[in-house]
Amino acid sequence: MRISPALPFAILLVGLTACTSAEGGPRSTAGATPPAKPGASAPSAPGAGNGSSFTISAALDTDAAVQARAGTQYTHRYTPATTVASGLTANVLDITGDGRLVVAGSPDAKSVDGVVQIEQSRVGIQDATAFKPFPPAHNGKCQNTRRQAIYADEQQDTVVWTESASTNLFAVDWCVFAYNPQSKTSALLGDSATIGPKEGMPEPPGTSAVTVGTSHAFWATAYPTPGKKPEFGVKIVARGINGGGQLETAVDRAKLPQAVGDTLFYVRSADIAPGFDAHRFEIRKRSAQGDGVVASGRLAEGQTVSALSATATRTTWVIANSDGETSTLYSLDLAANKAVSVKLHHPGPSTMHLRSTDTHLIWGSGSAAGDAGQYLYALDTGKLWRLGSEEGYSVVHAKGDHIAWAAIPDTAPDAKATYEVADLK
């Protein structure tokens, strides 16, 4: 398996940590929290029939996918440079609504006397010809100075991203920033050192990737539970994207946040909610109208919900199998309460990439073992297409009608990842 130098060392460690949590290997104690605060929503009753609250309208298998072709399923737009800002390696973190890329330019990690050293990333926007970094935060600095950007999300030109100084497999720190396109300024939204130890906390089950809504950014984090077992709980925190107010708890005992406007979708299951049925999960939605279940179902032994994506009309998630060679993707039409299922030929760990738009589902296996295909599912026709395949770096991004997927040339063992940026037809 090849690992691209474009993959920051910090995110590689985060990914490995996430894999061990989803796949039953060595794991930190994050993943359980104290009982919910008064007024928190209670678990829903089990669904009928096979235990799910929804029905399956179609069952697909990625083995049956057809190769997508330029000019038919998509139109090539550009191939971005693999280096930016005088030689920094470009790591693509997201695609924007107009088809540009959110990129972290990072110096390659070095090992000095067996100790990995990273340098500071520069996050900004890259298009076909240029890279424009965001300005430094105007309202403070993180306690850890050298960090690599590992996650980002863009909506309406607002970009929120996560940086980490961690090179420790079992302790991840984070600093979250936001760029405001109106004021053309950046703000520090949160620093994990204000919640837990400066050296970091366990990666929460799923991921700590940030998601941005209309007015707030959300992300999952572990947090200390002094005097209780286990030592860390998991919650979703939030802060206004302009940097105002304070970091606050959005939902306790929750993981995998996905913001859609002013609505927050998330997952509740036993790995982060003590006392919850170990063989069930819930996909929940919190809005101004309240907090409720949009989907629920059964989990077999060793299964977890490892990825979530959402739009205003559809939620999509992956059920991972810790000891298996396959997993299953479900995409639920919220109005019809009917889901499409897709058999995936890899375990489905939380390092996989899953994206959804109003018209398509797009996913890749990330760094998972097994099928490294990058797939595109058209919601209107029900057709499943294979965009490409990249073992160890099966990365995809999508927003609106724009998509990007990674490839590593075979020209050299240290070749940097390139991306195909395209418009859907």
Side-chain angles (χ1 to χ4, degrees):
M1 178 178 72
R2 295 175 298 165
I3 296 293
S4 168
L7 187 64
F9 191 85
I11 195 171
L12 176 58
L13 290 178
V14 168
L16 288 172
T17 305
C19 281
T20 55
S21 67
E23 296 168 12
R27 180 60 193 167
S28 57
T29 53
T33 62
K37 298 177 182 179
S41 52
S44 64
N50 64 358
S52 298
S53 63
F54 53 90
T55 58
I56 301 297
S57 60
L60 306 174
D61 189 316
T62 52
D63 278 352
V66 177
Q67 182 63 44
R69 298 189 181 280
T72 304
Q73 282 72 47
Y74 63 89
T75 300
H76 172 79
R77 189 165 182 177
Y78 63 94
T79 299
T82 59
T83 58
V84 297
S86 302
L88 300 179
T89 297
N91 180 49
V92 177
L93 302 177
D94 197 16
I95 192 168
T96 70
D98 59 4
R100 296 173 297 159
L101 299 174
V102 181
V103 165
S106 304
D108 292 338
K110 299 178 181 179
S111 179
V112 179
D113 297 327
V115 178
V116 175
Q117 295 182 351
I118 60 174
E119 299 294 333
Q120 179 63 43
S121 292
R122 299 181 64 187
V123 179
I125 296 294
Q126 182 183 16
D127 59 20
T129 60
F131 171 72
K132 185 176 181 180
F134 299 135
H138 66 83
N139 62 336
K141 296 181 179 180
C142 276
Q143 294 188 40
N144 291 313
T145 55
R146 296 177 179 177
R147 303 175 305 275
Q148 288 196 340
I150 55 176
Y151 303 116
D153 189 27
E154 180 272 349
Q155 294 292 339
Q156 302 296 317
D157 292 330
T158 294
V159 178
V160 180
W161 72 94
T162 305
E163 297 180 3
S164 178
S166 176
T167 57
N168 184 329
L169 187 61
F170 298 103
V172 177
D173 67 281
W174 47 258
C175 290
V176 176
F177 300 87
Y179 172 74
N180 185 320
Q182 280 74 45
S183 63
K184 294 181 171 53
T185 59
S186 300
L188 172 65
L189 302 188
D191 181 344
S192 61
T194 65
I195 292 179
K198 180 180 178 181
E199 60 271 17
M201 296 175 287
E203 177 82 345
T207 176
S208 56
V210 66
T211 178
V212 59
T214 302
S215 59
H216 284 73
F218 303 85
W219 62 98
T221 181
Y223 66 93
T225 57
K228 298 182 180 181
K229 295 294 184 180
E231 297 178 67
F232 291 91
V234 176
K235 63 183 178 180
I236 296 170
V237 295
R239 191 172 180 186
I241 54 179
N242 62 1
Q246 300 295 318
L247 188 67
E248 60 187 31
T249 297
V251 191
D252 197 11
R253 300 165 16 119
K255 68 177 185 177
L256 296 173
Q258 284 288 299
V260 181
D262 292 322
T263 299
L264 178 68
F265 292 86
Y266 65 93
V267 174
R268 178 161 289 151
S269 50
D271 53 349
I272 46 83
F276 196 89
D277 187 340
H279 299 293
R280 293 199 61 75
F281 70 91
E282 291 179 344
I283 311 295
R284 302 186 67 95
K285 179 176 77 170
R286 193 198 71 165
S287 66
Q289 288 69 47
D291 188 311
V293 178
V294 297
S296 63
R298 293 191 59 78
L299 293 171
E301 194 69 30
Q303 290 185 332
T304 59
V305 180
S306 60
L308 179 70
S309 185
T311 67
T313 60
R314 181 174 292 272
T315 57
T316 304
W317 65 94
V318 172
I319 302 294
N321 282 300
S322 61
D323 299 321
E325 296 180 354
T326 63
S327 52
T328 305
L329 179 151
Y330 295 91
S331 186
L332 176 68
D333 182 322
L334 295 174
N337 199 36
K338 294 182 178 180
V340 173
S341 69
V342 184
K343 183 178 181 180
L344 311 179
H345 292 269
H346 57 74
S350 55
T351 50
M352 70 174 290
H353 277 225
L354 173 64
R355 305 290 185 264
S356 57
T357 72
D358 291 338
T359 58
H360 291 80
L361 309 177
I362 304 95
W363 68 90
S365 64
S367 57
D371 177 23
Q374 296 144 312
Y375 293 96
L376 174 71
Y377 176 73
L379 294 169
D380 57 348
T381 64
K383 296 291 183 63
L384 180 60
W385 306 96
R386 184 182 177 97
L387 293 166
S389 178
E390 188 53 61
E391 183 181 0
Y393 202 71
S394 182
V395 175
V396 298
H397 297 285
K399 198 74 58 69
D401 293 328
H402 312 294
I403 58 174
W405 66 97
I408 303 176
D410 293 323
T411 54
D414 60 348
K416 299 181 186 295
T418 62
Y419 280 79
E420 174 90 5
V421 180
D423 296 336
L424 294 169
K425 293 179 71 72

